[in-house]
Amino acid sequence: MSRSNFSGTEALINVMQRLRDPNGGCPWDLKQTMTSLIPYTIEEAYEVAAAITEGNPEEIKDELGDLLFQVVFYGQLAAEQQQFTFDQIAQHTADKLIRRHPHVFGSSTTQTDEEIKTQWEQIKAEERAAKDSSGSVFHGIPDNLPSILMAQKLQKRAANVGFDWPTIAPVMAKIREEIAEVEEELTKSERDQQALEAEIGDVLFAVVNLARHAQVNPEHALRRTNVKFKQRFQAIEKRLAQNDQQPAQLSLDELEAHWQAVKVED
């Protein structure tokens, strides 16, 4: 198979077909099913996010390719079962995007960001209603989403039908209320761990709501903080290693002093 004979997409699809060929294909690829691929797809999506966070174009291209290969893999498995093809996936997505952007491809005069957002949600709601007779605003939200993303989607759907605070002040008040309830649980002589877990969950849910109101992606915000924490602590480890020390050898106050010094150097 000559590389020059195909476009990049065609070449990738051909590679996938060869890997799944019962006569001489790859034994590992031949064993895979849509279900077995799920962990790899999730892993590849996170690796794309990590590459974008790091900002290395070559890494981003590489990881996007790995994620694209997952989509091609699913398309091949579906084609073998005569369900749909990779091309049909792409065409379906193109049709959906055209339908959801009437201000670009149709006659809608919607212009502002807020109007576009409202129009988008209305079209999506109509699509959900056509698929589901229950009428629930939460239809289509997968139960196995990461918890932060799940909270964000639940809040957004509820807000779309008016169940939301109009300003950020009551959102902040709710966080303070939930923290007070956590403190109350912590001061009880006999701690109820399940009740404490529930209260901390309420705090996290309320903070995700604050992020939504502030137009901050909570997953991105937490990822940035994780990276920052890791880098700062590694800087402490590096400082200590110069004196043949390890963090476990220092008191909390000593570590805090190093932490503050590292923050200044950021």
Side-chain angles (χ1 to χ4, degrees), residues 121-181:
E121 294 300 336
Q122 180 181 350
I123 293 171
K124 288 180 67 176
E126 292 169 355
E127 292 172 353
R128 289 194 298 270
K131 293 179 180 178
D132 176 51
S133 59
S134 71
S136 173
V137 296
F138 302 129
H139 173 70
I141 299 179
D143 292 333
N144 59 349
L145 283 177
S147 297
I148 287 181
L149 181 57
M150 169 73 85
Q152 192 178 15
K153 283 187 172 291
L154 292 174
Q155 293 167 1
K156 184 178 178 182
R157 291 282 184 89
N160 286 339
V161 294
F163 191 69
D164 195 17
W165 282 299
T167 65
I168 208 164
V171 179
M172 293 294 298
K174 185 63 176 177
I175 292 175
R176 289 190 286 269
E177 175 190 325
E178 298 297 354
I179 291 175
E181 291 178 4

Side-chain angles (χ1 to χ4, degrees), residues 83-96:
Q83 297 171 336
F84 53 82
T85 65
F86 176 83
D87 186 67
Q88 288 172 325
I89 295 172
Q91 186 62 59
H92 175 77
T93 303
D95 293 342
K96 181 168 61 176

Side-chain angles (χ1 to χ4, degrees), residues 3 7 23 40 116 121 142 168 178 185 188 198 205-206 210 214 217 220 240 243 263:
R3 178 181 176 183
S7 69
N23 299 313
Y40 303 105
I116 291 171
E121 294 300 336
I168 208 164
E178 298 297 354
E185 284 295 331
K188 290 181 178 178
F205 192 84
L210 171 62
N217 186 302
H220 294 174
L240 295 178
N243 296 317
K263 283 180 65 177

Side-chain angles (χ1 to χ4, degrees), residues 2 18 64 128 134 155 167 177 226 249 256:
S2 172
R18 183 71 180 85
L64 283 173
R128 289 194 298 270
S134 71
Q155 293 167 1
T167 65
E177 175 190 325
N226 288 341
Q249 297 173 307
E256 178 63 24

Side-chain angles (χ1 to χ4, degrees), residues 66-109:
D66 291 343
L67 185 59
L68 176 60
F69 180 69
Q70 294 291 308
V71 179
V72 170
F73 208 145
Y74 287 115
Q76 177 63 27
L77 293 172
E80 291 170 8
Q81 299 297 318
Q82 297 184 331
Q83 297 171 336
F84 53 82
T85 65
F86 176 83
D87 186 67
Q88 288 172 325
I89 295 172
Q91 186 62 59
H92 175 77
T93 303
D95 293 342
K96 181 168 61 176
L97 288 171
I98 291 171
R99 184 171 64 251
R100 291 181 180 178
H101 291 81
H103 55 290
V104 176
F105 302 101
S107 58
S108 172
T109 57

